[in-house]
Amino acid sequence: MTTPPIITSVFDLFKVGPGPSSSHTIGPMKAAFDFRQRLAQLPADIQQRADAIHVYLYGSLSATGKGHGTDRAVVAGLLGWQPETTNPVAMLKLLRDPEVLYSVSVGERSIDVGASQIHFERKRYDSPYANTMVLKLLSGDQVLAEEEYYSIGGGFIIRKGEPEISASAYTVPYPYRTMAELKGLLIANAISLDELLMANEMALTNRSRADVNQRIDQILDFMHKAVRRGLKQKGVLPGTIRLSRKAPILFQQAKGMSQSSDSFLIFLNAYCLAASEENAAGGIVVTAPTSGASGVIPGLTFLAKHHFHYDRATMRAGMLAAAVIGFLIKHNASISGAEMGCMGEIGSASAMGAAFLTRCAQSVSDIGPIEAAAEIGIEHHLGMTCDPIGGYVQIPCIERNAMGAVKAYNAYLLATSGAASFQKISLDAVIKVMKATGRDMSTRYKETSEAGLALSATEC
């Protein structure tokens, strides 16, 4: 069976919302909001009989959901909050007192929901995805309405029983599934990568070119606001680890070393840590492609803007190049830590960041070096585990964002050395390897905090 072409929008990949996790925070919030909307459409007699809402979390949503704020995200969604407009300070206050109840509207009725209605289930649940949540509207023991959702990484969700969106529902001028097909389209149509991606985006979103460009600028602005906030914020991150923020210290150190060759890397590290620390604190970030990896591309784009002084048009072209790499990985493997380990998050972000840098450095888009940079970026993250200590997106996640950005920069250097054509492994091939590696990896190393560095929690 032939797989459908890629119909993901740039703005589905780069989403704005609160940290610390796209799959554990943004996804559950969207699912709970969807459930709230469905309850509002129930017949009035069913709404009147309802007296409780219960939420059941399975897989890594259960294993590390507390550290990721999944329970708060569920309550926020049931209250009608949405990711991009959520006040992160208000969200952090949710469920701070486990005795407090929150009134959720179901038609003309209000049903109280609190910590005791959210269940972190440890038993195995028969589900096609690692991150599963079931929401139920009850009348006593009777289930009046029930929905099952899967959070599949990057804030994307699937509702059980919902028909998949047919690719035929979207008409894109240049349909592709793989990098090989994409390159074929570029040659056959004598079109640049920038123009192809822009044409598809305009068709998918029904936006004008100016609107697409304006929204890319807004996404970059959200990323850079997170960096700037993180460079100023000091103190300790939320949670039991009591991890101190490092970004402001590194930033000051870099400014004091302007004559040193090391200052460049310290600036980049500071920018990546700043955005990652904001994510860990529950601040507003951009999934790039996930919240757990939301320091890599913001750090690199901040560097590109303030150190390389690229103009807006160049930055937009770089973001489109980054997006197409994210599309290919998501379509042919996964960006979810629960499926791929951290190679699905930091590995994907590093490959996307390498593509961004490579495109920005070009006067005319050349797909060869962009593909080579992305391939190198993924290749050297293969097998990376997702093993957060205590379920918090802090150790090793924050420093891992900085390391992913440094690898992205080196991948860009390697790919633009004039030897991109010598690259033996294609991007399509390494994505296949990535998928197979994720499939073979023990679930203990995929966002469950059951192995690896997560076992060092007692030393923190």
Side-chain angles (χ1 to χ4, degrees), residues 247-267:
I249 298 171
L250 280 176
F251 184 54
Q252 292 303 319
Q253 182 182 354
K255 290 196 293 185
M257 296 174 61
S258 58
Q259 303 305 312
S260 168
S261 58
D262 290 339
S263 66
F264 169 81
L265 277 179
I266 298 175
F267 272 119

Side-chain angles (χ1 to χ4, degrees), residues 6-314:
I6 291 169
I7 53 171
T8 306
S9 163
V10 172
F11 310 119
D12 287 329
L13 193 69
F14 296 116
K15 290 190 286 290
V16 179
S21 171
S22 46
S23 59
H24 288 62
T25 311
I26 295 177
M29 182 187 291
K30 290 170 63 178
F33 180 85
D34 183 81
F35 187 66
R36 171 192 170 96
Q37 299 295 89
R38 294 180 184 281
L39 296 186
Q41 297 169 8
L42 291 174
D45 61 322
I46 292 179
Q47 293 174 341
Q48 287 297 321
R49 291 166 55 201
D51 57 22
I53 294 173
H54 283 264
V55 181
Y56 301 85
L57 304 171
Y58 299 94
S60 67
L61 286 183
S62 172
T64 61
K66 279 285 186 182
H68 289 80
T70 303
D71 46 357
R72 295 195 302 272
V74 168
V75 170
L78 289 173
L79 291 174
W81 300 8
Q82 297 205 62
E84 187 161 336
T85 53
T86 289
N87 181 330
V89 175
M91 184 166 166
L92 284 173
K93 292 179 180 178
L94 295 176
L95 298 178
R96 185 170 290 176
D97 182 346
E99 301 301 318
V100 172
L101 298 176
Y102 302 87
S103 181
V104 176
S105 296
V106 179
E108 296 182 358
R109 295 210 60 186
S110 292
I111 295 177
D112 290 337
V113 174
S116 61
Q117 281 75 45
I118 301 174
H119 310 278
F120 292 84
E121 297 290 329
R122 291 294 183 174
K123 61 186 178 183
R124 183 176 294 277
Y125 188 75
D126 185 17
S127 167
Y129 294 93
N131 291 326
T132 299
M133 56 187 294
V134 177
L135 297 95
K136 298 181 180 182
L137 179 71
L138 303 173
S139 175
D141 293 332
Q142 183 184 6
V143 178
L144 302 177
E146 177 178 341
E147 297 291 347
E148 184 170 313
Y149 297 89
Y150 314 116
S151 184
I152 60 172
F156 292 90
I157 60 170
I158 296 172
R159 183 175 63 87
K160 183 179 181 179
E162 189 171 33
E164 290 187 19
I165 298 175
S166 172
S168 61
Y170 294 90
T171 303
V172 291
Y174 304 104
Y176 63 92
R177 300 164 184 80
T178 64
M179 176 57 80
E181 290 183 5
L182 176 61
K183 291 194 293 186
L185 288 171
L186 296 175
I187 295 169
N189 294 278
I191 190 174
S192 71
L193 179 66
D194 301 350
E195 285 301 315
L196 183 151
L197 296 175
M198 177 60 76
N200 279 4
E201 187 64 29
M202 290 166 63
L204 280 172
T205 61
N206 199 29
R207 294 174 185 255
S208 68
R209 181 184 298 267
D211 286 343
V212 171
N213 284 333
Q214 182 183 40
R215 183 57 179 164
I216 292 175
D217 289 344
Q218 289 174 342
I219 292 295
L220 283 165
D221 189 45
F222 272 112
M223 288 182 174
H224 296 171
K225 282 179 179 178
V227 173
R228 285 192 289 270
R229 288 196 311 270
L231 292 175
K232 296 176 182 178
Q233 294 290 336
K234 298 179 182 179
V236 175
L237 292 169
T240 58
I241 298 176
R242 305 293 296 166
L243 184 68
S244 296
R245 290 179 182 250
K246 298 178 184 176
I249 298 171
L250 280 176
F251 184 54
Q252 292 303 319
Q253 182 182 354
K255 290 196 293 185
M257 296 174 61
S258 58
Q259 303 305 312
S260 168
S261 58
D262 290 339
S263 66
F264 169 81
L265 277 179
I266 298 175
F267 272 119
L268 177 57
N269 283 325
Y271 301 153
C272 294
L273 291 183
S276 296
E277 287 170 356
E278 278 298 290
N279 176 65
I284 296 297
V285 295
V286 177
T287 62
T290 66
S291 298
S294 61
V296 177
I297 293 176
L300 289 168
T301 57
F302 198 86
L303 184 87
K305 179 180 180 180
H306 295 282
H307 292 253
F308 300 164
H309 306 293
Y310 287 134
D311 59 24
R312 285 182 180 270
T314 301

Side-chain angles (χ1 to χ4, degrees), residues 346-348 350-351 354 372-382 407-408 411:
I346 298 296
S348 298
S350 186
E375 188 281 322
I376 294 167
I378 295 177
E379 182 180 329
H380 300 289
H381 283 90
L382 289 174
K407 284 187 179 182

Side-chain angles (χ1 to χ4, degrees), residues 390-406:
Y392 294 101
V393 190
Q394 296 181 16
I395 303 174
C397 318
I398 294 172
E399 288 182 354
R400 196 167 278 174
N401 274 265
M403 295 299 293
V406 171

Side-chain angles (χ1 to χ4, degrees), residues 312-391:
R312 285 182 180 270
T314 301
M315 296 280 284
R316 292 176 197 137
M319 286 290 283
L320 289 175
V324 75
I325 302 305
F327 296 161
L328 290 165
I329 296 171
K330 181 182 182 298
H331 190 75
N332 296 297
S334 175
I335 59 173
S336 169
E339 293 185 59
M340 294 287 113
C342 203
M343 67 176 166
E345 299 201 40
I346 298 296
S348 298
S350 186
M352 292 165 64
F356 166 83
L357 291 170
T358 304
R359 175 61 191 92
C360 286
Q362 298 175 348
S363 55
V364 179
S365 59
D366 181 355
I367 193 66
I370 292 171
E371 178 187 11
E375 188 281 322
I376 294 167
I378 295 177
E379 182 180 329
H380 300 289
H381 283 90
L382 289 174
M384 179 172 281
T385 57
C386 180
D387 47 358
I389 292 179

